[in-house]
Amino acid sequence: MVHGKTFKDPISGRFLKPDEVDLSNPSKPIQISTGITPVVSFEKMSKSKYNGVDPETTINNYGADATRLHILFKAPVSEVLEWEDASIVGMQRWIARVWRLVESVVEKESSTNNQSLNFNMNLLSKEDRETYRIINITIKEVTEDYENSTFNTAVSSLIKLTNHLTSISTYQNENASKKSTIVSPTYEYGIKTLVKMMAPMAPSIGEEFWEILNRGKQNTTSIFEELWPKVDKECLNASEVTCVVQINGKMRFSLMIPSTVLQDNLSTEKLILESENGKKWLGKVNADKKIKKIIHANEGKI
């Protein structure tokens, strides 16, 4: 159910028409006839409450895909959606950010073809391994969200992937006589995967992005004829995790440790004690008195 914003005269309780309310400052509506603040609430859309929204007007103002994304992201399909046009701007901004990512690939030299790549984790840089892991976590989450019709969390996961890809810069081909920037295969794969997964919820702009990504390439098809991304389960676990060290209840430092030793308490303690911060903080402790107790919490992450 979609509820619309309603305004009522605080004295008479009468529902106010849109032209009876000054919304020049949306956060502080004013009843024009009295100059006082009306009672604001969200209620089931009704002609008698003057709180209906014309979908065609919204689509003309913001675009069909942004409107659709707003509807799906604002609330789970099983709950009430409180309609506010101002929230659609967030979806417009997200689309614009994805557009910039697409352009960042097109403007550079592509290092991949149109097919899915087989990534060897051992040959990837540390940064690319983490990016590839985040991509596959997103594929897993979004696939499950589509299957369960939890579209709001699907959009949320895709926005997180967008944030990560935005933080990545392309690398330079150092072997070229004249340095030219090329696109990391992992980075390009991430953007194409992002576009594929957002397309069912934003079909128009998804198709547009896919056409841009494949411009000049032969035998390209519609994005809706592409295979859905598959999860590489072997890369879902991080190779390193952050371990937070507290001393006498106070957080003193953190360090990255291999996930393979996370459950090995003795190995974790050894890495902590041998680290620079470990020597700084725990060396002082050992100089005066010995450590009385070591507690491993949160599966070794604390």
Side-chain angles (χ1 to χ4, degrees):
M1 181 66 69
V2 182
H3 285 191
K5 184 178 284 189
T6 62
F7 302 95
K8 286 194 290 187
D9 186 316
I11 300 173
S12 66
R14 179 178 65 87
F15 288 104
L16 302 174
K17 298 179 181 179
D19 58 8
E20 294 181 280
V21 182
D22 180 3
L23 292 173
S24 53
N25 184 350
S27 62
K28 295 181 179 180
I30 299 295
Q31 187 174 337
I32 296 173
S33 61
T34 61
I36 60 178
T37 302
V39 176
V40 181
S41 62
F42 285 91
E43 301 188 29
K44 180 181 176 181
M45 290 187 180
S46 168
K47 289 183 179 180
S48 63
K49 297 175 184 177
Y50 311 109
N51 64 345
V53 175
D54 179 6
E56 290 190 3
T57 301
T58 305
I59 289 170
N60 289 335
N61 290 338
Y62 302 100
D65 283 346
T67 300
R68 185 185 295 104
L69 286 168
H70 167 69
I71 292 171
L72 296 174
F73 178 64
K74 187 71 173 175
V77 293
S78 59
E79 297 182 16
V80 169
L81 190 162
E82 295 182 347
W83 186 267
E84 283 189 282
D85 280 359
S87 303
I88 306 179
V89 176
M91 292 297 100
Q92 285 186 311
R93 289 172 180 165
W94 177 42
I95 290 173
R97 292 176 64 207
V98 177
W99 200 321
R100 287 194 290 272
L101 288 175
V102 170
E103 288 179 333
S104 73
V105 172
V106 175
E107 290 171 356
K108 307 298 187 290
E109 180 184 346
S110 174
S111 57
T112 69
N113 56 28
N114 219 9
Q115 305 302 317
S116 298
L117 297 175
N118 293 319
F119 289 95
N120 186 334
M121 296 294 285
N122 296 324
L123 300 179
L124 295 177
S125 65
K126 180 180 178 180
E127 293 75 15
D128 278 351
R129 280 199 304 271
E130 179 62 11
T131 296
Y132 187 61
R133 187 181 72 86
I134 291 173
I135 293 168
N136 280 277
I137 288 174
T138 307
I139 294 172
K140 182 178 182 294
E141 292 175 345
V142 173
T143 301
E144 292 173 353
D145 288 333
Y146 273 120
E147 291 172 347
N148 298 320
S149 297
T150 50
F151 304 114
N152 58 317
T153 53
V155 174
S156 178
S157 295
L158 291 174
I159 291 174
K160 290 178 183 178
L161 177 58
T162 304
N163 293 341
H164 179 76
L165 293 172
T166 301
S167 68
I168 298 173
S169 61
T170 55
Y171 67 91
Q172 287 195 332
N173 183 4
E174 298 180 354
N175 296 323
S177 57
K178 182 179 180 181
K179 287 188 177 181
S180 61
T181 305
I182 64 173
V183 179
S184 159
T186 312
Y187 178 73
E188 183 174 359
Y189 174 69
I191 293 173
K192 288 186 174 181
T193 301
L194 169 63
V195 171
K196 282 183 181 181
M197 292 193 293
M198 72 181 293
M201 295 182 288
S204 300
I205 201 69
E207 189 73 89
E208 178 74 12
F209 288 161
W210 192 248
E211 182 181 331
I212 294 172
L213 284 168
N214 292 284
R215 187 171 294 162
K217 297 180 180 178
Q218 295 181 348
N219 302 321
T220 57
T221 61
S222 165
I223 192 170
F224 298 105
E225 295 179 12
E226 291 289 319
L227 295 176
W228 188 256
K230 291 184 178 180
V231 180
D232 185 348
K233 295 180 180 179
E234 294 183 0
C235 74
L236 293 179
N237 295 322
S239 58
E240 290 185 321
V241 294
T242 301
C243 180
V244 176
V245 180
Q246 298 177 353
I247 301 175
N248 292 337
K250 294 183 179 180
M251 188 276 191
R252 292 305 186 187
F253 64 93
S254 65
L255 76 160
M256 300 300 294
I257 63 173
S259 57
T260 53
V261 304
L262 195 61
Q263 303 298 328
D264 185 340
N265 292 351
L266 292 178
S267 296
T268 301
E269 292 167 18
K270 186 174 184 292
L271 289 171
I272 291 172
L273 292 170
E274 292 178 351
S275 68
E276 184 176 341
N277 280 318
K279 293 176 182 177
K280 173 184 175 183
W281 289 101
L282 297 170
K284 291 180 180 179
V285 173
N286 284 322
D288 301 328
K289 52 188 177 182
K290 293 185 177 181
I291 298 172
K292 292 182 178 179
K293 190 175 184 180
I294 299 177
I295 301 171
H296 294 259
N298 194 21
E299 298 181 344
K301 296 178 183 176
I302 298 178

